[in-house]
Amino acid sequence: KEASREEFFLKLPQEIVDFVDKALQADPRNRPLAKDLLRNDIFYVIRYEMAQIEGEIEQSFEQRLDQQSILELYHYWQLGGGDVFSELKKDGLMRSRLPVLNLPNVVLLEGRSLGVPTDSNLMPSLTIVRLDATHILHRLRKLKHNSTKLPSFSAKSCETQTLPLVIKERDTEYQFVRLQFYNQILQTMPKSRDQLVKEARQDIAPFVRARVWAELLHVAQDYQTTYRLIDKESPLPTDRQIEVDIPRCHQYNELLSSSVGHMKFKRILKAWVKSHPHYVYWQGLDSLAAPFLYLNFDDEARGYASLTNFISKYLHNFFLQDNSAVIREYLAKLRQLLAFHDPVLASHLHYIGFSPELFAIPWFLTMFSHVFPIHKILHLWDSLILGDASYPLYIGLSILQQLRNVLLNSGFNECILLFSDLPEINIEKCVTDSIFFYQSTPSSVTYRQHQLHGARKNSLDLMPISITELQSEFSPRISASELHDLIVKPLLRSKILVIDIREPLSFSKHRVSGSVNIPCSSEELNVKGNKKSEIGFIQRPEMALLYSNKGKIIIVIGEEMKLTTEFCNFLVGCGFPKVCSLSGGVSTLQNYRYDEILVKL
């Protein structure tokens, strides 16, 4: 009546009047939900017309589509080839404009622009554009679901599983099935965590990647409250550096390089610095935050919480004021891991003086986010987040393996140039190789004193190694507890060779079960063979035994770690892979009472 539309209202069909009355109930308890209103008979005509165009739609399929969020439906529409910008151009709502016409008149030093021409494409419009979903409905109807429940299909049940990851992520049918399954799992978290990990090892659907990462990183349910309580506005000494770093971080990415992206970047970085007073802001933190902000652009708090848990797990103590010991230990472990799996490449890089300090610091400080573009980082971190704190070392190793042939034929200067502009890296192969190396390496080989310790302990926890001592050892150490496991398990026992380099008398008194005694001296190992009268270890008959077992894990046991280290370095120089030494020597086995694997006189 107030709008003078009473006459028009009275002409409406009774069905629409009833529908409006239901929707306008003042008491929310009596007001139906939107999904209930959409089931009203007045929408039957629309559903009937769609059925006439598309053919008969199975009831179960319609129910599934009704349960999807508008964002998820839009995601399917995009996968099916939908382009919203093309649709807007068709309706004349977007027009091409030369970039030079959008330049501001003045740009201030702090980055503010003045006199920017108004772009009509950026102005709000009340025009409604209908997005044609015919093509996507055609494709989704090909899926045959007999159940009215959410489909419980794993990745293995789809033919697309064998295709490359990039293709799978653009396949509408495959993503539809995977999303139904992931939605089912995420709704029952944390009870279904094991199932989530299992599916994530196959692949992670891009649409739910942010939620899956948050669950795998154990982000707390109250992350929004935690983030809201952090002061993100007060000035900090690091503000200037943050403002310098943000514009340079993934500047090719339209989302992250936007003004809104920069504001979100700044808030997340300031929140992390403010909530971690025992750490400092190091350049590289912005690169670490980039993937989380990109995935959680509409949920800044979850992006911050995921970043915090990620750093705690993989970069423990990396952001200390003095982090030199942490980084030096990490790089020494990379060098040892390379010598363990590829002694030829490790020896070559050592010979030309090309150490990990010259190329790998940005790798690990940013977990490769500074090295690769966002789309590659997402695939790489899908695998990384499923691994433990040592897994980044295996990613570094797999990258070096892809560059192996070039590195072996390069000198120091060529290697510097190579890593200044890294060649194309196959991320899928990198992930596959990383998993292979990880599974074929004893876990204590990559043990670090500065990593965040979990419940699992081994003898290395009780025997800290100085950085100087660690850097002098070309081969890694293995713990007594892991040696015990390798010996007592029959399937693993055949994969190792235990070499005891002590004198025969000491060996006869007590030895590791199944070990081989090959006594040696420092003088023998250091013989260069320049003189005919000199007889080095390389000429001893025991070398035949070592060569016949090449490829097995060779565990060297001695009394003094100095001689043990020299023997391991000698084997690596001869091209033997998988060489390691027992941490603490034979005395460790006696001190920690591993009598089960000791044979005594």
Side-chain angles (χ1 to χ4, degrees), residues 149-426:
K149 297 180 180 179
L150 285 174
S152 299
F153 298 143
S154 68
K156 293 182 180 178
S157 64
C158 296
E159 296 178 0
T160 322
Q161 173 60 23
T162 57
L163 296 175
L165 185 59
V166 175
I167 296 178
K168 288 191 293 185
E169 289 191 348
R170 295 175 182 173
D171 186 276
T172 310
E173 293 89 342
Y174 180 79
Q175 288 302 314
F176 180 79
V177 172
R178 292 296 281 156
L179 275 175
Q180 307 314 302
F181 197 52
Y182 266 114
N183 286 335
Q184 191 178 44
I185 293 173
L186 291 169
Q187 287 173 5
T188 55
M189 288 295 291
K191 187 169 58 177
S192 56
R193 178 172 296 281
D194 291 342
Q195 186 66 32
L196 179 67
V197 172
K198 180 182 176 182
E199 292 303 318
R201 294 193 188 283
Q202 297 292 335
D203 60 69
I204 299 177
F207 186 76
V208 291
R209 182 176 273 128
R211 291 171 61 193
V212 172
W213 279 16
E215 292 292 349
L216 294 175
L217 290 169
H218 300 277
V219 169
Q221 295 296 320
D222 61 342
Y223 65 86
Q224 290 182 330
T225 303
T226 303
Y227 186 66
R228 188 171 61 250
L229 294 175
I230 300 173
D231 178 12
K232 300 175 281 292
E233 303 301 328
S234 299
L236 293 172
T238 56
D239 284 355
R240 178 58 183 163
Q241 187 61 53
I242 289 175
E243 289 174 357
V244 170
D245 289 343
I246 287 175
R248 300 183 300 191
C249 183
H250 293 285
Q251 52 190 304
Y252 60 86
N253 185 276
E254 187 176 4
L255 198 62
L256 297 179
S257 61
S258 65
S259 58
V260 176
H262 286 183
M263 287 190 295
K264 289 177 177 289
F265 246 135
K266 187 174 181 179
R267 285 196 294 267
I268 288 177
L269 295 177
K270 289 192 67 169
W272 190 88
V273 173
K274 186 73 175 180
S275 57
H276 296 81
H278 53 295
Y279 288 148
V280 298
Y281 177 85
W282 282 100
Q283 283 183 291
L285 183 61
D286 54 317
S287 296
L288 277 173
F292 294 110
L293 175 58
Y294 177 78
L295 291 179
N296 298 278
F297 207 78
D298 60 341
D299 194 344
E300 196 177 308
R302 186 170 62 193
Y304 163 79
S306 299
L307 170 68
T308 300
N309 289 12
F310 183 87
I311 292 176
S312 177
K313 181 178 179 180
Y314 296 104
L315 292 159
H316 182 62
N317 285 343
F318 263 67
F319 290 91
L320 290 171
Q321 179 71 47
D322 182 7
N323 63 357
S324 60
V326 181
I327 292 179
R328 286 166 63 197
E329 181 191 37
Y330 211 103
L331 299 178
K333 282 297 176 181
L334 175 64
R335 186 174 69 105
Q336 289 184 348
L337 190 62
L338 179 61
F340 186 83
H341 285 284
D342 193 345
V344 176
L345 179 57
S347 298
H348 172 71
L349 295 181
H350 178 70
Y351 175 75
I352 65 174
F354 192 68
S355 63
E357 284 80 0
L358 297 172
F359 64 89
I361 292 178
W363 287 10
F364 300 123
L365 195 59
T366 67
M367 286 297 129
F368 309 96
S369 182
H370 183 70
V371 183
F372 300 122
I374 282 289
H375 70 278
K376 289 191 173 184
I377 284 297
L378 298 181
H379 292 163
L380 190 63
W381 281 17
D382 280 350
S383 174
L384 171 62
I385 289 175
L386 290 166
D388 59 23
S390 68
Y391 190 75
L393 291 167
Y394 296 94
I395 295 177
L397 173 63
S398 63
I399 293 174
L400 292 175
Q401 287 300 290
Q402 289 196 38
L403 303 173
R404 186 177 192 272
N405 292 335
V406 179
L407 291 171
L408 286 174
N409 292 290
S410 301
F412 180 85
N413 292 334
E414 290 83 1
C415 288
I416 291 289
L417 291 173
L418 178 70
F419 282 93
S420 65
D421 186 14
L422 200 65
E424 185 72 16
I425 298 294
N426 186 329

Side-chain angles (χ1 to χ4, degrees), residues 52-53 66 92 141 227 240 247 298 373 384 410 422 427 518 522 534 546 577 598:
Q52 287 292 100
I53 297 171
D66 288 341
R141 283 197 191 101
Y227 186 66
R240 178 58 183 163
D298 60 341
L384 171 62
S410 301
L422 200 65
I427 293 297
I518 306 181
S522 182
E534 292 180 333
L546 291 170
L598 282 176

Side-chain angles (χ1 to χ4, degrees), residues 498-597:
V498 182
I499 302 295
D500 194 322
I501 62 172
R502 294 176 299 152
E503 292 300 317
L505 181 61
S506 300
F507 179 78
S508 62
K509 290 181 179 178
H510 55 273
R511 64 184 185 276
V512 172
S513 175
S515 60
V516 178
N517 185 218
I518 306 181
C520 71
S521 64
S522 182
E523 291 76 14
E524 283 183 297
L525 297 174
N526 292 321
V527 168
K528 304 298 182 184
N530 296 328
K531 298 180 181 179
K532 292 184 179 180
S533 58
E534 292 180 333
I535 300 177
F537 191 90
I538 193 71
Q539 297 165 300
R540 286 182 47 176
E542 289 90 341
M543 288 298 295
L545 171 67
L546 291 170
Y547 277 113
S548 65
N549 286 277
K550 192 174 183 179
K552 291 185 176 182
I553 298 175
I554 300 177
I555 303 170
V556 182
I557 299 177
E559 285 182 328
E560 298 179 0
M561 287 306 300
K562 184 177 182 297
L563 181 58
T564 304
T565 298
E566 289 181 7
F567 187 78
C568 289
N569 292 348
F570 169 79
L571 292 179
V572 171
C574 293
F576 283 92
K578 300 183 179 180
V579 177
C580 55
S581 60
L582 176 63
S583 178
V586 71
S587 60
T588 304
L589 298 173
Q590 297 171 312
N591 295 339
Y592 291 96
R593 300 184 180 278
Y594 288 105
D595 298 332
E596 187 180 357
I597 63 172

